[in-house]
Amino acid sequence: MLAPSLLLRALGKAPPSTEVSAPLLPRSQAEMAAPCALTLPSPLSVSSSSPRRSRRSGVVAMASVGQKVYAPGVAVSEGNGGLPKIDIKSPHGSEAEIYLFGACVTSWKVPNGKDLLFVRPDAVFNGQKPISGGIPHCFPQFGPGPMQQHGFARNMNWSITDSEVIEGDPAVTLELKDDSYSRSMWDFSFQALYKVALHSTSLSTTLKITNTDDKPFSFNSALHSYIRASISGVSVKGLKGCKTLNKDPDPTNPLEGKEEREEVTFPGFVDCVYLGAPSELTLDNGLGDKIVISNANWSDAVLWNPHLQMEACYKDFVCVENAKV
Ligand SMILES: O=P(O)(O)OC[C@H]1O[C@@H](O)[C@H](O)[C@@H](O)[C@@H]1O
């Protein structure tokens, strides 16, 4: 049994904080669950250089799209490229967007209006290529391998199976099942359930993979989180002592090593897997926020910044990924 989880918490200059957590909880050899939560414990005290967003009053009314009725605070709208997206809004002022294509959380705004996630300017929303930004899934493969890079889950349409209200705040559950497309790459029957819940001060997600096949399978997975940042000011604390697989310079032949630094910075290209990542990392995004990433059950972490390989945007984000590689 595994019990992986992740927690990111962003602290502004004032008392504010934001938390993200993502546990991965395998239930049996054939079933695994992975929760993730973003939490802002004190929305009123979050500081930001951007102007405060006007507060929404009360709970969003019951939304209905086609035959479907969603819980208060949950709505479906047309996003970029005409792709459907779920908008969830907390009556306490935070909000998030999730595209059904890839079950990708592309935006999470804290009550002061600041979006802590980043979508690359070269991201396409055409339902053909994965969305490059937010929190894409890597499943059932992380990185290159026998199937497409980072697996197919980020490249398929998920569906909404549930919406609910938890302690006044909205939550939705998305589902992905095998089809002929996934079977062409990975010949197994599975169900993935991904629950995203927005609380007064948090966004949480839970990923549960169930083997619905009559034969066992193994897989690896990651939440490929793009965090908005100013790269020259970014540092990640907590990885000292971890075994590293450095994919620079040769991603096909990673160099084994050990992280010796208290704070990992990003002066150039970084693409490194950290095995046995600790239960908590602290990310300074260089924009005045400290993001604490607490991890229980995701056993690994990945740091990635493409530097000049993506000259147009590398300064504006860092990927701190929770993974089981
Ligand atoms: O461009 P993609 O497929 O989203 O992948 C981006 C990066 O994702 C990271 O997780 C990998 O460690 C990198 O090797 C990879 O380049």
Side-chain angles (χ1 to χ4, degrees):
M1 285 271 242
L2 293 174
S5 74
L6 159 71
L7 176 72
L8 293 177
R9 185 172 64 191
L11 307 172
K13 287 169 187 162
S17 63
T18 304
E19 295 180 326
V20 178
S21 79
L24 185 64
L25 303 167
R27 300 276 169 87
S28 71
Q29 286 186 326
E31 186 179 336
M32 190 156 87
C36 169
L38 306 177
T39 306
L40 252 179
S42 181
L44 293 175
S45 61
V46 172
S47 71
S48 167
S49 52
S50 55
R52 190 171 186 80
R53 194 181 181 77
S54 62
R55 302 289 303 254
R56 293 172 189 278
S57 59
V59 182
V60 177
M62 188 76 83
S64 171
V65 175
Q67 302 275 317
K68 296 186 177 168
V69 176
Y70 299 102
V74 178
V76 175
S77 66
E78 193 176 283
N80 292 332
L83 297 181
K85 68 177 168 70
I86 308 167
D87 304 299
I88 52 175
K89 292 180 168 63
S90 163
H92 303 93
S94 58
E95 54 188 69
E97 290 179 353
I98 310 134
Y99 278 77
L100 270 56
F101 185 70
C104 187
V105 180
T106 54
S107 170
W108 178 53
K109 289 180 181 167
V110 293
N112 64 10
K114 199 169 188 177
D115 196 333
L116 299 181
L117 300 179
F118 181 78
V119 176
R120 281 172 21 201
D122 61 329
V124 290
F125 293 81
N126 62 6
Q128 303 294 317
K129 288 184 66 180
I131 297 169
S132 298
I135 309 178
H137 289 268
C138 303
F139 172 84
Q141 173 187 288
F142 174 78
M147 70 186 82
Q148 58 187 245
Q149 161 90 341
H150 290 330
F152 49 71
R154 64 177 184 165
N155 210 15
M156 291 177 69
N157 285 307
W158 296 52
S159 57
I160 304 171
T161 59
D162 193 22
S163 66
E164 59 193 303
V165 173
I166 301 170
E167 294 178 357
D169 287 308
V172 289
T173 301
L174 296 93
E175 179 186 53
L176 182 69
K177 287 180 167 176
D178 55 292
D179 67 4
S180 57
Y181 176 71
S182 69
R183 287 265 184 169
S184 70
M185 288 169 269
W186 198 60
D187 192 17
F188 295 105
S189 173
F190 72 94
Q191 181 200 44
L193 290 173
Y194 188 53
K195 182 173 177 176
V196 180
L198 188 66
H199 309 288
S200 60
T201 56
S202 70
L203 176 73
S204 64
T205 72
T206 303
L207 175 66
K208 177 179 176 181
I209 307 296
T210 302
N211 184 340
T212 51
D213 212 319
D214 55 9
K215 55 188 183 293
F217 61 62
S218 61
F219 61 93
N220 48 35
S221 186
L223 295 175
H224 195 302
S225 307
Y226 284 76
I227 312 290
R228 188 180 301 278
S230 175
I231 199 69
S232 60
V234 171
S235 64
V236 178
K237 280 189 199 170
L239 292 165
K240 186 176 180 181
C242 287
K243 182 176 175 186
T244 55
L245 297 175
N246 196 343
K247 293 162 86 175
D248 182 27
D250 182 0
T252 62
N253 188 24
L255 293 171
E256 289 189 24
K258 186 178 170 190
E259 182 55 76
E260 303 289 356
R261 293 167 291 180
E262 292 284 353
E263 289 190 8
V264 180
T265 54
F266 295 79
F269 180 83
V270 172
D271 189 1
C272 191
V273 175
Y274 290 80
L275 301 176
S279 60
E280 190 168 286
L281 302 178
T282 303
L283 166 67
D284 184 334
N285 68 4
L287 294 169
D289 304 297
K290 289 231 170 101
I291 300 172
V292 178
I293 306 169
S294 295
N295 167 28
N297 304 323
W298 289 105
S299 59
D300 309 316
V302 182
L303 299 184
W304 179 62
N305 182 271
H307 201 57
L308 297 177
Q309 288 179 6
M310 292 184 189
E311 200 165 0
C313 63
Y314 80 91
K315 292 177 183 168
D316 301 324
F317 76 91
V318 64
C319 284
V320 181
E321 306 166 37
N322 290 85
K324 182 76 180 171
V325 302

